[in-house]
Amino acid sequence: MEKNKKKILFSIDTLLVGGIEKVLIELLSNISKEKYEITLLIGYKLNELEKLKEDIPMNIKIEYIFKENIHILGKKKKAMGNLKGYEKIIFEITSLLRKKIFKKRLLKIVEKVDTVVDFDMTLASYAKDISKNIITFCHFSPKNYNRGIKKRQERLGEKLKNYNKIVVISKDMEKEGIEIFPFLKEKFITIYNSFNIDLIERKSNLIKEDELNLIKKPYILSIGRLEETQKDFTTLIKAFSKVSNNIKENLYIIGEGRHKDNLKKLVKDLQIEDRVLFLGFKNNPYPWIKNSSFFVHSSKFEGLPTVLIEASILGKAIVSTDCPTGPREILENGNCGLLVDVGDVEKLAENIKYLSQNLEVRQKYGELAKNESKRFDSKEIVKIVERLF
């Protein structure tokens, strides 16, 4: 490696299949290889669950804190949603030991770098011990972080003081952050998630032969982690059930998560099994987005939901819950798509029916959303990130 390259360490707890991981990989793909030597530090090596690992650029060095089965087994089961009761107790009891080992290994690794980028805030407990330029990314609504519990928010504020910069991914998040932590006002900076618009458009044309049959049928699409603490597929499924007899489209859901079985049971209880299809994880969801009639997003809180921006890039009409934060900002206060209150089954159903039955409206919203999506182009956003180094 050239000596004049700055050494940058990006850190993330696990490499699963969520929006945060996709945004991280897109950012790593665009950072200058000539200026920076990049290492990606992953907390836990989860092997077959790391389905996005092959998308990490070849020039990125990958390191792990924990690779031993004794440390990763509980984490893997938790990620898969099958950690049993007694296993949860053991996992919690051993957390203190893991933290000590984590800190020791982490500090040894960061000695070799110039800047640390904590991409998911999981280094917050160790930031005060890292004597480097250290930046964190916050991907969720600060008001909803730690479920909004005041004491936990106060502890978080104390930890955030140890970062040089706190990157939030929407203007609304920055407003929330300053409101909750006014003493951190000078540390907050808004940087939108970056997207390779050209690549997304190219990949949207790559339809697999075994997917042709399903993708040609009329459907509306939703994508997300099947985890109801933050997401809200329950409201979406209930809303769809109310209008399924009045629209031609089926509902396709892309994603995996610990509440998948619960959601499938809800579909069965509502007697719409023949109209709702769980497609699982898709490494390339873009053909599904492009060929959908329109896109639906239901969530309790967000940061800046990746899937809404991807749907906008591909010119899809969108109906989304107006959750904190992100959807309102992406959809320009409802000028580029439809917004409904969180948990409002009736209104979401009404808007699904409205878009299904009005092609011209769908086309109008799709064109407006596509035009606005240009502000998320990775070529410009990476320049702002590099200045933090």
Side-chain angles (χ1 to χ4, degrees), residues 53-99:
K53 188 174 179 180
E54 62 186 33
D55 295 335
I56 298 172
M58 295 294 291
N59 65 295
I60 307 297
K61 180 183 178 184
I62 299 174
E63 291 194 33
Y64 293 93
I65 294 287
F66 291 125
K67 292 189 284 188
E68 308 93 333
N69 270 336
I70 191 172
H71 295 306
I72 67 172
L73 189 58
K75 191 76 169 182
K76 183 184 287 188
K77 285 192 171 186
K78 187 176 181 181
M80 296 171 68
N82 57 13
L83 196 64
K84 296 175 182 176
Y86 73 92
E87 292 173 324
K88 288 181 182 178
I89 295 170
I90 295 172
F91 192 70
E92 292 302 320
I93 291 173
T94 56
S95 65
L96 188 60
L97 174 62
R98 282 198 310 278
K99 285 178 181 178

Side-chain angles (χ1 to χ4, degrees), residues 150-333:
K150 189 174 180 181
K151 286 187 177 180
R152 292 185 180 181
Q153 295 282 25
E154 289 172 353
R155 288 199 295 269
L156 176 62
E158 287 301 307
K159 292 176 180 178
L160 289 175
K161 286 197 300 188
N162 298 305
Y163 291 100
N164 296 98
K165 283 292 180 183
I166 305 161
V167 177
V168 288
I169 55 177
S170 74
K171 293 172 185 175
D172 283 341
M173 286 177 66
E174 184 171 352
K175 289 176 186 174
E176 283 190 7
I178 292 170
E179 180 185 336
I180 301 169
F181 309 118
F183 54 94
L184 297 174
K185 182 178 180 180
E186 300 306 315
K187 291 181 181 284
F188 282 106
I189 178 173
T190 296
I191 303 177
Y192 285 138
N193 290 338
S194 65
F195 294 80
N196 187 329
I197 291 175
D198 294 339
L199 180 62
I200 288 172
E201 290 177 340
R202 286 200 304 273
K203 290 179 76 172
S204 72
N205 295 313
L206 303 177
I207 303 173
K208 293 181 179 178
E209 191 172 338
D210 61 353
E211 296 177 336
L212 276 172
N213 185 45
L214 281 177
I215 219 165
K216 283 183 176 179
K217 294 179 179 179
Y219 63 92
I220 60 176
L221 181 67
S222 189
I223 301 176
R225 191 173 65 257
L226 305 183
E227 213 287 341
E228 293 295 275
T229 307
Q230 179 202 350
K231 308 299 181 182
D232 191 12
F233 286 98
T234 299
T235 292
L236 170 58
I237 290 168
K238 287 179 178 178
F240 179 77
S241 73
K242 288 185 174 293
V243 297
S244 59
N245 290 331
N246 304 110
I247 65 175
K248 64 176 186 261
E249 291 92 353
N250 288 330
L251 171 62
Y252 291 178
I253 295 173
I254 291 177
E256 292 287 352
R258 65 192 180 101
H259 291 141
K260 184 175 184 177
D261 289 341
N262 296 11
L263 294 169
K264 282 189 168 184
K265 183 179 183 302
L266 176 61
V267 168
K268 184 176 181 180
D269 291 343
L270 293 171
Q271 299 181 344
I272 51 173
E273 288 174 285
D274 60 330
R275 300 296 305 279
V276 179
L277 185 62
F278 291 86
L279 296 173
F281 170 75
K282 294 289 181 185
N283 195 48
N284 178 16
Y286 305 125
W288 296 94
I289 297 174
K290 182 178 179 178
N291 288 280
S292 64
S293 294
F294 56 95
F295 193 86
V296 187
H297 184 72
S298 183
S299 193
K300 295 167 186 172
F301 65 92
E302 289 284 355
L304 192 75
T306 299
V307 290
L308 287 192
I309 298 171
E310 292 171 331
S312 297
I313 288 168
L314 293 173
K316 304 313 296 184
I318 295 167
V319 54
S320 171
T321 48
D322 189 13
C323 65
T325 56
R328 178 167 288 274
E329 197 163 328
I330 293 168
L331 298 179
E332 291 287 314
N333 296 311

